[in-house]
């Protein structure tokens, strides 16, 4: 029995469609399926590459968030995650030089200096760390932090002294030599950290206390200070002063007292020194020695100087209107002299109060001008060109030299009161005062003696030829109203008979 052949289903074609067409459609279907598979594969590869790139970017951003872009060191946030081991310490190092480099050579050269400093810190090998490089961070400007793991307080202080010693060497930037006055604040682990968990919180606690210790170096003495609980109390007091100063000026809690200045030859009152006082509602009467360093450190000194200048020139105008030509001496900070618009402010205040420029004396400390001479000199020259007198205060305690004085456009030197007070008992102080008087006169300067409290000292100064004196023998600093009352109590000599009307002469 015979059977009919069976047709293959693949080759079977629907009615009206050839087998060739079927083959073409099948091939196209295979291509579409393969293309889809390949597309899915490519998409998966691209997604994986994107995920890897995103992960790498996230890692880089995390690293960058913890790194200082200029030096490559850790930044403050990165340093907080460098957790010290139990018994560790943190040292905060301030080179206190970046501002001078920036002002002298520009900010680009300042960045060069910062990189040089960071290279030194990274390259330091401290014996207490058994030869390992310290973990370092750049906090801001030329202030760095160094982690000292596994050390106690004594070892931390030793390491900080060693670190400072290695950073003191002069820096040569664009051929200019700079010597940094490095200071270091240290905080070591102790019982006060017992309740602070390990990690960023512990590091932050150490860093805050190291900053407090660093601030304490501004009070003088040891340039390396370890944190002590009493420093926290002083820091809190300083913070209160910083936050309350502007409001105190607005409330008139800050005032200006005046101490008379008398010519030693004629015993006449020739001027006053303006001295700021802060009548704090909680801390009592504060003298400049306490609050001026705080204002200098925080940049608020400009506000104080503006206030004292305004009050002093208003008083000078008041005295002129009464027929008394008294000069006023106002202390200025190195921070004021770093501001290029300071001479413009002085000129504006002189014009507003209609006071001749020669009745304003601006006093600057010898040590301050010595350390920032290149920055201050252009501003001093502009002030002198206005007609103001310039005086070097506390002379004899800083870098005293004829060459130094000759470079400054000054009119007066004020002998530091420590030498004047010692004249009654120390022959050496008498010799120092005599030398300063002779040196000042050689340079054509007026010589002022501060701290005159004894009649014998006043007589000795007059015999030496010292020009002007101030001190408790004449009068203590007095509030404005009390000073006016004191002036009214003095003997008054009118001008020379027959001459044009002029200021009265006050005999103290």
């Amino acid at each position: 029995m015979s059977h009919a052949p069976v047709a293959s289903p693949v080759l079977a074609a629907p009615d009206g469609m050839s087998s060739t067409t079927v083959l073409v459609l099948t091939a196209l279907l295979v291509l579409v399926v393969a293309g889809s598979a390949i597309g899915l594969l490519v998409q998966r590869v691209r997604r994986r590459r994107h995920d890897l790139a995103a992960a790498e970017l996230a890692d880089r951003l995390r690293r960058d968030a913890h790194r200082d872009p200029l030096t490559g060191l850790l930044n403050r946030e990165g340093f907080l995650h460098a957790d010290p081991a139990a018994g560790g310490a943190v040292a905060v190092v301030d080179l206190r030089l970046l501002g001078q480099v920036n002002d002298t050579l520009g900010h680009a050269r300042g960045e060069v200096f910062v990189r040089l400093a960071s290279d030194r810190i990274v390259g330091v090998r401290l014996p207490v760390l058994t030869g390992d490089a310290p973990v370092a961070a750049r906090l801001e400007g030329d202030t760095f932090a160094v982690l000292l793991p596994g050390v106690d307080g004594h070892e931390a202080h030793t390491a900080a002294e060693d670190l400072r010693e290695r950073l003191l060497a002069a820096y040569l930037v664009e051929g200019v030599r700079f010597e940094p006055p490095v200071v270091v604040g240290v905080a070591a682990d102790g019982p006060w950290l017992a309740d602070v968990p390990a990690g960023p919180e512990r590091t932050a606690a150490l860093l805050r206390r190291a900053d407090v210790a660093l601030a304490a170096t501004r009070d003088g003495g040891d340039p390396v200070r370890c944190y002590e609980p009493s420093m926290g109390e002083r820091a809190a007091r300083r913070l209160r002063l910083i936050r309350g100063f502007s409001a105190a000026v607005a409330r008139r809690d800050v005032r200006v007292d005046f101490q008379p200045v008398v010519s030693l030859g004629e015993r006449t009152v020739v001027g006053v020194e303006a001295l700021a006082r802060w009548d704090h509602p909680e801390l009592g009467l504060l003298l400049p020695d306490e609050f001026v360093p705080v204002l200098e450190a925080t940049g608020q000194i400009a506000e104080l100087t503006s206030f004292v200048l305004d009050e002093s020139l208003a008083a000078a105008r008041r005295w002129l209107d009464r027929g008394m030509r008294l000069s006023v001496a106002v202390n200025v900070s190195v921070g004021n002299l770093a501001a290029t618009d300071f001479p413009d402010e002085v000129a504006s205040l002189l014009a507003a109060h209609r006071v001749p420029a020669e009745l304003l004396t601006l006093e600057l400390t010898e040590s301050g001008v010595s350390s920032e001479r290149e920055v201050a000199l252009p501003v001093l020259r502009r002030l002198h060109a206005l007609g103001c007198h310039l005086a070097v205060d506390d002379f004899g305690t800083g870098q005293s030299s004829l060459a130094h004085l000759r470079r400054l456009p000054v009119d007066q030197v004020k002998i530091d009161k420590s030498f004047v007070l010692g004249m009654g008992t120390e022959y050496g102080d008498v010799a120092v005062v005599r030398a300063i008087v002779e040196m000042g006169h050689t340079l054509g300067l007026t010589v002022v003696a501060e701290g005159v409290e004894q009649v014998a000292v006043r007589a000795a100064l007059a015999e030496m030829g010292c020009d002007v004196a101030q001190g408790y023998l004449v009068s203590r600093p007095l509030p404005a109203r009390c000073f006016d009352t004191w002036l009214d109590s003095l003997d008054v000599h009118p001008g020379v008979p027959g001459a044009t009307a002029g200021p009265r002469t006050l005999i103290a």
Side-chain angles (χ1 to χ4, degrees), residues 137-266:
R138 182 191 179 210
L139 302 180
E140 59 183 358
D142 56 357
T143 302
F144 300 85
V146 177
L147 189 62
L148 305 171
V151 299
D152 59 23
H154 176 72
E155 292 170 332
H157 190 275
T158 301
E161 287 182 324
D162 193 13
L163 179 63
R164 177 179 182 271
E165 189 67 29
R166 294 164 190 254
L167 294 174
L168 277 176
Y171 290 80
L172 196 64
V173 182
E174 295 292 322
V176 181
R177 181 184 177 91
F178 295 95
E179 297 183 0
V182 185
V183 291
V184 186
V186 187
D189 196 356
W192 48 273
L193 274 180
D195 297 332
V196 180
E201 191 174 346
R202 178 186 293 266
T203 309
L206 283 169
L207 191 58
R208 285 194 301 270
R209 285 157 177 80
D211 280 332
V212 170
L214 182 71
T217 63
R218 298 189 181 100
D219 299 332
D222 192 350
V224 177
R225 300 290 297 271
C226 281
Y227 174 79
E228 300 171 2
S230 60
M231 290 180 180
E233 298 172 6
R234 289 198 296 272
R237 184 182 177 97
R238 290 167 67 97
L239 185 60
R240 292 174 68 183
L241 297 181
I242 292 167
R243 290 178 173 174
F245 176 71
S246 293
V249 172
R251 291 193 307 266
R252 311 294 291 185
D253 289 343
V254 179
R255 68 169 195 261
V256 177
D257 287 1
F258 299 102
Q259 185 173 35
V261 178
V262 178
S263 67
L264 284 167
E266 295 80 13

Side-chain angles (χ1 to χ4, degrees), residues 270-352:
V270 294
V272 299
E273 180 177 2
L275 299 165
R277 301 288 187 263
W278 185 350
D279 192 6
H280 198 283
E282 298 173 359
L283 303 177
L285 184 63
L286 304 179
L287 300 181
D289 288 348
E290 178 163 8
F291 62 85
V292 165
V294 177
L295 301 180
E296 287 178 331
T298 57
Q300 292 177 287
I301 192 65
E303 184 178 359
L304 175 64
T305 303
S306 298
F307 173 77
V308 175
L309 277 170
D310 189 48
E311 292 287 300
S312 300
L313 292 176
R317 179 69 258 169
R318 186 171 66 249
W319 298 324
L320 281 171
D321 292 341
R322 294 181 58 195
M324 294 177 288
R325 188 178 176 85
L326 300 179
S327 67
V328 289
V330 175
N331 292 280
V332 296
S333 164
V334 173
N336 298 127
L337 300 180
T340 55
D341 60 347
F342 182 61
D344 297 328
E345 180 186 4
V346 172
S348 177
L349 288 170
L350 286 168

Side-chain angles (χ1 to χ4, degrees), residues 13 52 88 136 152 200-201 219 234 263 293 301 315 318 349 353 361 374 393 398 422 440 455 478 484 488 493 497:
L52 289 173
D152 59 23
E201 191 174 346
D219 299 332
R234 289 198 296 272
S263 67
I301 192 65
R318 186 171 66 249
L349 288 170
H353 291 288
T361 299
E374 299 304 324
D393 200 6
V455 174
L478 299 170
D484 286 344
D488 291 338
H493 285 197

Side-chain angles (χ1 to χ4, degrees), residues 106-124:
H107 289 272
R109 303 300 182 271
E111 292 183 354
V112 172
F113 161 68
V114 170
R115 285 194 291 267
L116 291 173
S118 66
D119 290 343
R120 284 196 190 180
I121 290 177
V122 171
V124 165

Side-chain angles (χ1 to χ4, degrees), residues 431-470:
V432 169
V433 171
R434 187 182 299 276
I436 294 175
V437 171
E438 293 175 354
M439 180 177 66
H441 288 164
T442 299
L443 295 175
L445 305 176
T446 300
V447 182
V448 183
E450 297 183 282
V452 180
E453 298 184 1
Q454 301 175 28
V455 174
V457 169
R458 180 177 62 186
L461 288 167
E463 182 272 328
M464 293 177 187
C466 184
D467 303 293
V468 183
Q470 66 184 93

Side-chain angles (χ1 to χ4, degrees), residues 39-174:
L40 289 172
L41 180 61
V42 170
Q43 186 177 7
R44 184 174 297 176
V45 170
R46 286 177 176 173
R47 184 181 297 114
R48 180 167 180 79
R49 287 178 178 173
H50 179 272
D51 291 343
L52 289 173
E56 290 177 357
L57 177 60
D59 289 341
R60 186 166 64 253
L61 290 175
R62 280 193 293 270
R63 289 195 302 271
D64 291 346
H66 287 176
R67 290 285 172 182
D68 173 57
L70 178 61
T71 64
L73 297 179
L74 295 173
N75 58 17
R76 183 180 291 270
E77 183 65 24
F79 189 76
L80 293 180
H81 289 80
D83 181 38
V90 166
V92 177
V93 184
D94 189 355
L95 276 73
R96 295 187 179 178
L97 189 59
L98 181 58
Q100 183 180 348
V101 178
N102 284 341
D103 292 334
T104 304
L105 300 177
H107 289 272
R109 303 300 182 271
E111 292 183 354
V112 172
F113 161 68
V114 170
R115 285 194 291 267
L116 291 173
S118 66
D119 290 343
R120 284 196 190 180
I121 290 177
V122 171
V124 165
R125 295 297 182 267
L126 301 173
V128 72
L129 300 183
T130 64
D132 294 333
V135 176
R138 182 191 179 210
L139 302 180
E140 59 183 358
D142 56 357
T143 302
F144 300 85
V146 177
L147 189 62
L148 305 171
V151 299
D152 59 23
H154 176 72
E155 292 170 332
H157 190 275
T158 301
E161 287 182 324
D162 193 13
L163 179 63
R164 177 179 182 271
E165 189 67 29
R166 294 164 190 254
L167 294 174
L168 277 176
Y171 290 80
L172 196 64
V173 182
E174 295 292 322

